[in-house]
């Protein structure tokens, strides 16, 4: 069970709704993933043009919680405005803070992310900040009162997977709130690895929507979450620098 603020989820996958080739494939992938949380950029909402296609039109909205994000914001004030827009639309009281500080790497701005998190918490939002794999920054965000921490595995949309597992593990080990690994995941291997490190969940978008078969990939990601979590709970054997026989000779009377 994954608890974020007042919400409880069975699924450990948060799934983005963008970049799918069409709405039918999007719906199939969402169903196949068995996610309970859908994420999207508020700026993609057709608020002023209701006759335009709705990117959620194929989805039974009653089945999901929504995690709108503040993508496009460059400052804390812009992020707060976007979050309030989502709240006014009746979507959800939960928001992912996303403030990009570098247009080349798409890494988040740590100062503005801290400011926005504090401001939104004061407004009563359930706040999930997207951050880099900075161990100290993650703890600062938690200390402010963030309801979950969302460190990137690698740059957004890169598919590089987990490039700094040590930092990610440090963040997970020190955190008393859920850690959702976000950004850069490319394959089920990456998802399983994140869960084996002890993550509470993963947020996926491009890894599913950009796959040759998004529906099959959604299933693969769901199974990877389950395998990784079971592996973490089971406890892997320690790594050694030497071989250890799998069939010991002791006690055989030879």
């Amino acid at each position: 069970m994954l608890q974020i603020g007042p919400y409880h989820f069975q699924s450990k996958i948060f799934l983005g709704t963008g970049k799918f080739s069409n709405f039918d494939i999007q719906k199939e992938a969402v169903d196949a993933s068995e996610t309970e949380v859908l994420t999207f950029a508020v700026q993609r909402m057709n608020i002023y043009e209701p006759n335009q296609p709705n990117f959620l039109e194929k989805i039974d909205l009653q089945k999901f919680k929504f995690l709108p994000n503040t993508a496009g914001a460059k400052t804390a004030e812009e992020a707060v405005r976007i979050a309030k827009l989502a709240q006014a639309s009746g979507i959800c009281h939960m928001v992912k803070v996303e403030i990009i500080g570098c247009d080349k790497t798409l890494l988040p701005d740590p100062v503005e992310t801290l400011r926005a998190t504090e401001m939104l918490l004061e407004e009563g939002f359930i706040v999930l900040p997207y951050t880099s794999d900075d161990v100290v920054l993650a703890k600062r965000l938690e200390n402010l009162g963030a309801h979950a921490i969302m460190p990137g595995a690698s740059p957004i949309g890169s598919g590089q997977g987990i490039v700094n597992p040590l930092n990610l593990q440090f963040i997970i080990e020190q955190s008393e709130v859920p850690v959702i690994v976000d950004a850069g995941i490319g394959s089920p291997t990456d998802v399983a690895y994140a869960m084996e490190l002890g993550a509470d969940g993963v947020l996926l978008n491009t890894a599913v929507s950009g796959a040759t078969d998004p529906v099959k990939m959604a299933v693969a990601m769901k199974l990877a979450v389950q395998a990784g979590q079971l592996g973490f709970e089971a406890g892997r054997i320690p790594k050694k620098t030497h071989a250890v026989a799998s069939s010991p000779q002791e006690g055989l009377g030879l």
Side-chain angles (χ1 to χ4, degrees), residues 171-218:
I171 290 172
I172 292 167
E173 289 176 348
Q174 75 173 3
S175 182
E176 296 182 10
V177 298
V179 175
I180 312 297
V181 176
D182 182 9
I185 286 176
S187 75
T189 301
D190 305 327
V191 168
Y193 191 14
M195 299 304 293
E196 284 184 55
L197 289 173
D200 297 282
V202 294
L203 190 151
L204 309 169
N205 191 3
T206 307
V208 174
S209 63
T212 303
D213 188 328
V215 179
K216 283 186 178 180
M217 185 60 76

Side-chain angles (χ1 to χ4, degrees), residues 16-18 38-46 55 67-72 82 86 91 96 98 205:
T17 54
L38 297 178
T39 74
F40 60 91
V42 176
Q43 292 192 348
R44 293 183 59 232
M45 295 168 56
N46 294 317
F55 65 95
L67 180 62
N69 68 58
T70 64
I82 292 171
I91 298 170
K96 172 187 170 183
E98 183 174 328
N205 191 3

Side-chain angles (χ1 to χ4, degrees), residues 221-235:
M221 295 300 193
K222 175 185 68 176
L223 297 175
V225 165
Q226 296 171 9
Q229 183 173 8
L230 285 171
F232 173 73
E233 292 172 354

